[in-house]
Amino acid sequence: MSKLGNLGARLHRGEVGYDFVGKRKIWYGVSILITITAILGLTVRGLNMGIEFQGGADFTTPKTSVSVAQAGTYAQAASGHQAVVQKLGTGGLRIQIAGIDTSKSDQIKASLAKDLKVPAESINADLVGPSWGEEIAGKAWEGLAIFMVLVVIYLAIAFEWRMALAALVALIHDITITTGIYALVGFEVTPGTVIGLLTILGYSLYDTVVVFDSLKEQTKDLTKQTRWTYSEIANRSINGTLVRSINTTVVALLPVAGLLFIGGGFLGAGTLNDISLSLFVGLAAGAYSSIFIATPLVADLKEREPQFKALKKRVLAKRAQGGAEGNLAEARATGTAEDEDPQDAAPAVVGPRNQPSSRNRGRGRPSGKRR
């Protein structure tokens, strides 16, 4: 068995562990800081919405020697709007111009043909009206809201409302961070981005539910003992599934990183960026939130219940009593204990002391009997 496997087994048995729940205020602070940064990015820069959401035109050209940067300059001059240009495998270009009046598409097409030195009839133009783009955006938000509601209902039935609330907070945390990263890096938001968001939400929930299921099993009849508090059991649940969470996250991130950094970066397949970035950021944020946000938040909510408040008092009182007894025993063993009260000491022996009779006394002596 590998070292990681041995570590996972020891974590599962509770032999070793890290106090995630005990340091939850640190994780809350880190998450709040990241979330504020993401919200500022959304507020200041905003999202670069694709033509599917804003409306516009998508021009595909045949093979040309014009660079991507120069084609973007030509497209902006022809339309008066910022353009997104991507190099295609055929040597042609894909030029997306959002927010333009579709009635001007023929004029823009003719201008691009002249600048790129290609025939106008060889440029393919796909037009998206603004009303259709608004409808797509509305449907995307509607689907996301329905997904959230169904998730909360399911988790409330399968577990309890506190776990459902914690999972919802973790999901909102993941969505905010992912969309904030999109705003900061300026990647275009397309239907692929929405698909990526829904995918990572499902993954984030999977990781969270694994920890919640372990926590549910370990907290059965918890109030009948006085060894562990709810927060300590929650921490053991996180540690018990930690290696599994790390393994699944790394395995999921490797192919996504290949799409993002190799496919979209080195090979120039920009069409992969919209979905691969949402998957990469979302998978990392989902793994983080399931460990550092969702379960500690459940522990916070549960510790407010009267029965678990009373349990915590009993556990701490028992530990304090056991600690005092252990200190006294250690002091006696080392000879540092204070002198005992004479009244509590054993009474001294007074008067003659009778010697114990020996079982061998008289053995071998004559019995005195006459023959």
Side-chain angles (χ1 to χ4, degrees):
M1 186 180 293
S2 64
K3 292 183 178 180
L4 186 61
N6 285 327
L7 177 61
R10 295 182 66 192
L11 286 169
H12 183 74
R13 292 192 297 266
E15 297 175 2
V16 295
Y18 182 79
D19 191 7
F20 293 100
V21 177
K23 294 180 173 60
R24 56 187 177 273
K25 292 183 179 180
I26 298 177
W27 318 131
Y28 292 166
V30 171
S31 296
I32 290 173
L33 181 61
I34 296 175
T35 303
I36 291 175
T37 304
I39 293 174
L40 287 176
L42 289 169
T43 304
V44 175
R45 300 196 58 175
L47 291 172
N48 180 21
M49 305 298 291
I51 62 173
E52 295 86 356
F53 299 103
Q54 296 187 71
D58 187 344
F59 300 97
T60 305
T61 73
K63 185 176 181 180
T64 178
S65 60
V66 178
S67 66
V68 171
Q70 189 63 44
T73 303
Y74 291 151
Q76 184 174 359
S79 63
H81 291 75
Q82 189 72 28
V84 177
V85 183
Q86 298 170 344
K87 191 78 172 180
L88 301 178
T90 59
L93 298 174
R94 181 188 181 192
I95 304 173
Q96 294 179 310
I97 308 174
I100 65 171
D101 186 356
T102 54
S103 63
K104 298 181 179 180
S105 61
D106 291 337
Q107 178 183 348
I108 297 172
K109 180 179 178 180
S111 179
L112 288 175
K114 180 181 178 181
D115 292 331
L116 300 177
K117 299 179 182 181
V118 295
E121 60 272 13
S122 65
I123 299 178
N124 183 33
D126 294 325
L127 306 179
V128 179
S131 59
W132 187 81
E134 292 177 359
E135 182 180 356
I136 289 295
K139 291 294 183 182
W141 288 112
E142 182 181 344
L144 185 60
I146 293 174
F147 173 80
M148 292 286 196
V149 172
L150 293 177
V151 164
V152 170
I153 293 175
Y154 170 76
L155 291 179
I157 295 174
F159 297 99
E160 59 170 303
W161 69 267
R162 294 170 186 83
M163 291 185 176
L165 178 61
L168 180 61
V169 171
L171 287 178
I172 295 174
H173 168 272
D174 299 341
I175 292 175
T176 304
I177 291 178
T178 305
T179 53
I181 294 295
Y182 262 84
L184 292 173
V185 301
F187 275 20
E188 186 181 18
V189 178
T190 66
T193 306
V194 178
I195 295 172
L197 280 175
L198 294 176
T199 302
I200 61 102
L201 292 181
Y203 176 85
S204 175
L205 279 176
Y206 166 77
D207 217 16
T208 301
V209 167
V210 168
V211 182
F212 283 178
D213 186 64
S214 174
L215 180 58
K216 181 181 178 181
E217 290 295 325
Q218 294 191 51
T219 54
K220 288 182 178 179
D221 300 325
L222 183 63
T223 56
K224 296 181 180 179
Q225 52 83 48
T226 55
R227 292 186 60 192
W228 311 101
T229 65
Y230 191 95
S231 293
E232 290 168 343
I233 294 297
N235 195 67
R236 292 185 64 182
S237 299
I238 297 175
N239 281 279
T241 57
L242 182 61
V243 173
R244 177 179 179 179
S245 298
I246 294 174
N247 287 338
T248 53
T249 301
V250 171
V251 170
L253 281 176
L254 286 176
V256 176
L259 290 175
L260 179 60
F261 299 110
I262 299 177
F266 294 106
L267 300 182
T271 53
L272 297 174
N273 288 337
D274 53 356
I275 188 171
S276 59
L277 180 64
S278 63
L279 287 174
F280 187 84
V281 176
L283 288 174
Y288 172 86
S289 64
S290 63
I291 297 173
F292 296 95
I293 302 298
T295 308
L297 185 57
V298 170
D300 271 337
L301 294 173
K302 294 293 287 185
E303 290 283 8
R304 298 176 184 269
E305 295 184 26
Q307 55 180 341
F308 292 110
K309 279 185 177 180
L311 173 63
K312 185 175 182 179
K313 289 182 179 179
R314 294 198 305 269
V315 171
L316 295 179
K318 182 178 179 181
R319 289 178 183 174
Q321 180 182 1
E325 292 176 353
N327 291 336
L328 179 58
E330 182 180 358
R332 287 176 175 173
T334 57
T336 59
E338 297 181 357
D339 295 337
E340 297 179 347
D341 191 337
Q343 294 181 356
D344 297 333
V349 179
V350 181
R353 182 176 180 181
N354 297 325
Q355 298 293 334
S357 58
S358 174
R359 295 181 181 178
N360 296 328
R361 183 177 296 174
R363 182 171 297 178
R365 295 181 180 177
S367 61
K369 293 183 180 181
R370 295 180 180 177
R371 292 183 181 178

